[in-house]
Amino acid sequence: MCPLPTTHKPASQVLATSLERSTNPPFLDIRQPARGYRFSIDSVVLAGFAAPLCRGAVLDLGTGCGVLLLLLSRLAPAMVTGTGVDLQEGLLDFARRNFRDHSPDGRLVAVPGDIRGAIHGIEPGSFDLVVSNPPYGRAGHGRRNPDPGKQTARHEVTCALPELFAAASRFLSAAGRFAFILPYRRLSEIEPCAAKAGLRVESLRVVHPRDGEPASRGLCCAGRGGRGTPRLLPPLFLHEGPGKYCPEVERICRLFGAG
């Protein structure tokens, strides 16, 4: 296997490299439910963060409609295969259709499974990168969403944070990495969860809605072994002006269309 990059390049540089290899990549027209859970800008931000780490076999825990793997397949030339796992069969159907439309070579697949246990056809220790945009809300906290799909996707109904880290550790190869996004208020939980699963948080990038506004999200990368405190990467300011994303995010969003 090729070594992981020693520096974390901006997603814009990774995308530029990808575009050099494929000068006219197809735009992504993502199928997703008209009602219920729909993907957000968090998937785009996580794809940009994870792309420099992405190589070989990639596993998406809680893949939904598959947008994260599709973005990584365009952003990361070193990605070979992608497997998306989800409990919701309705979302998996959208993921399969999206993969068929945008990756007809079959290197992206969607499979049903509960990440808290064994998943048929997925071997432990076989992935170079695990990614996840997990449910944010703690179980029993906040207002319960009347839509079952949104409730499962946004709250820890079927998987709590320690279980997510345990699953990532179980499926990661020895030199693999786990990249994920969480609300800023929950970042204090990640190091204990990582340590319990035999992982260490290596780097952290804080996301702010705008320059001067409080942080809203944290992008994290964890791996096995090593010591020391997490490396703090430059912050990401999501918006540059009214209704306008920063150039780094905007460039990834262009994968969805010319506008």
Side-chain angles (χ1 to χ4, degrees):
M1 296 181 184
C2 60
L4 286 169
T6 56
T7 59
H8 200 291
K9 297 179 182 178
S12 57
Q13 291 183 22
V14 177
L15 180 56
T17 301
S18 182
L19 291 179
E20 286 173 5
R21 298 189 182 193
S22 180
T23 57
N24 189 27
F27 293 127
L28 297 175
D29 183 12
I30 304 296
R31 299 173 185 265
Q32 57 182 332
R35 296 183 178 180
Y37 178 74
R38 296 168 66 83
F39 78 86
S40 70
I41 195 65
D42 289 349
S43 296
V44 175
V45 171
L46 177 55
F49 176 78
L53 307 165
C54 188
R55 62 187 177 94
V58 181
L59 176 66
D60 182 10
L61 300 177
T63 196
C65 65
V67 63
L68 183 52
L69 286 178
L70 284 167
L71 287 169
L72 288 173
S73 73
R74 300 300 191 271
L75 292 169
M79 177 180 174
V80 178
T81 62
T83 302
V85 176
D86 209 288
L87 267 176
Q88 299 189 65
E89 188 60 44
L91 288 177
L92 283 172
D93 183 57
F94 281 100
R96 293 184 185 108
R97 293 163 67 189
N98 285 326
F99 294 164
R100 182 191 64 220
D101 291 346
H102 299 289
S103 184
D105 56 4
R107 68 186 183 121
L108 301 183
V109 297
V111 299
D114 186 335
I115 67 173
R116 295 171 294 185
I119 301 174
H120 180 71
I122 298 183
E123 293 296 325
S126 59
F127 291 91
D128 302 291
L129 176 68
V130 173
V131 293
S132 187
N133 179 10
Y136 285 160
R138 294 186 184 91
H141 290 71
R143 185 175 63 182
R144 186 175 181 85
N145 198 301
D147 184 286
K150 288 183 179 180
Q151 177 70 12
T152 300
R154 294 177 179 174
H155 293 81
E156 293 176 335
V157 176
T158 59
C159 180
L161 203 56
E163 295 169 320
L164 177 69
F165 274 85
S169 179
R170 186 166 67 253
F171 292 117
L172 275 178
S173 64
R177 297 293 186 271
F178 175 35
F180 57 97
I181 185 170
L182 281 176
Y184 185 77
R185 67 181 182 275
R186 300 202 65 180
L187 293 188
S188 62
E189 301 175 51
I190 64 175
E191 290 196 75
C193 288
K196 186 176 180 181
L199 300 174
R200 182 181 71 86
V201 179
E202 297 177 340
S203 60
L204 168 67
R205 190 178 192 190
V206 175
V207 182
H208 301 256
R210 292 173 179 82
D211 193 0
E213 294 187 4
S216 60
R217 299 282 187 264
L219 293 158
C220 305
C221 171
R224 301 188 194 280
R227 295 181 180 180
T229 58
R231 183 164 55 101
L232 189 61
L233 302 171
L236 173 65
F237 301 108
L238 194 57
H239 293 92
E240 195 173 67
K244 183 180 180 182
Y245 289 119
C246 67
E248 179 180 339
V249 173
E250 184 64 34
R251 189 165 188 179
I252 301 173
C253 287
R254 290 192 192 121
L255 289 172
F256 296 115

